[in-house]
Amino acid sequence: MRSHIAVAALLIAALGTPVRAQERPPSNAPNTVRIQVLLSRYQGEKKLGSLPYTLSIQPDDRSRSGHATVRLGTQVPITTTVRQSGEANAPSVPTVQYRDVGTSIDCTVVSLLDGRFKVDISVEDSSVDTPPAGGSNPAHPPFRSFRTSDSLLLTDGQSAQFSTATDRVSGDVWKVDVTLTVVK
């Protein structure tokens, strides 16, 4: 009987206590993660140029991952000719088509429980190339393109060379370096 009275007293005490909103446990998701991407091009040991990009990513509390995208470029006009009709002797009419050139970067960062970050990154760069010796029709310029994608495991402040590739036509070497920094 005493135990029933004790349980009843606990229930009454509990019911009389105001109900609080359920508190979320403190999140241990990281702060913003800054990904620096350096796209460089070399001819032998001579650096021809480099393009730096910075992406800031705020990982989601639940999935512990975040995503960022960069699209930077322009459209280049290219003149082509099209026959007015399907007949072989029909006159050709010039038309203009546009081709996108520039840089595209997609990056997903997943915060791992051991303090490392899985960085999935995809880089694409395209540009109008220098015409070969002897010239080229300016309406039909040559284009250069470079694509790479992979995953890296990085810690705060760590850098890694993400990719290195040699262009088989020009001999240029493309390098992509990635640095991860946790913004505190």
Side-chain angles (χ1 to χ4, degrees):
M1 182 66 121
R2 280 192 172 161
S3 63
H4 292 292
I5 293 173
V7 169
L10 287 172
L11 284 173
I12 291 170
L15 291 174
T17 306
V19 176
R20 293 184 185 171
Q22 185 178 11
E23 295 179 19
R24 287 178 55 187
S27 172
N28 58 355
N31 296 332
T32 300
V33 176
R34 183 174 297 131
I35 301 293
Q36 294 173 319
V37 178
L38 182 63
L39 180 59
S40 303
R41 190 167 58 107
Y42 295 83
Q43 181 97 85
E45 295 297 316
K46 180 183 174 190
K47 187 181 222 178
L48 298 176
S50 61
L51 299 169
Y53 301 91
T54 301
L55 297 90
S56 293
I57 301 172
Q58 177 64 49
D60 179 271
D61 284 345
R62 288 187 183 156
S63 67
R64 303 179 57 81
S65 69
H67 183 80
T69 299
V70 171
R71 300 284 184 266
L72 181 64
T74 190
Q75 292 187 329
V76 176
I78 303 167
T79 303
T80 60
T81 56
V82 178
R83 299 231 182 255
Q84 283 185 332
S85 68
E87 297 177 23
N89 60 353
S92 295
V93 177
T95 62
V96 177
Q97 296 178 341
Y98 289 88
R99 178 165 174 179
D100 290 328
V101 295
T103 304
S104 297
I105 301 173
D106 291 295
C107 184
T108 300
V109 175
V110 178
S111 172
L112 304 176
L113 296 176
D114 62 359
R116 295 181 303 162
F117 296 85
K118 180 180 179 219
V119 180
D120 294 324
I121 190 164
S122 175
V123 177
E124 181 175 347
D125 187 79
S126 62
S127 61
V128 177
D129 199 1
T130 309
S136 154
N137 183 344
H140 300 94
F143 290 89
R144 153 193 322 264
S145 65
F146 170 75
R147 286 185 197 162
T148 184
S149 62
D150 208 347
S151 295
L152 299 167
L153 288 177
L154 298 173
T155 59
D156 184 17
Q158 187 177 8
S159 294
Q161 194 155 86
F162 170 68
S163 181
T164 301
T166 302
D167 183 324
R168 64 189 282 178
V169 174
S170 67
D172 292 354
V173 176
W174 291 83
K175 296 181 180 182
V176 180
D177 296 290
V178 177
T179 303
L180 181 141
T181 307
V182 176
V183 180
K184 308 224 181 210

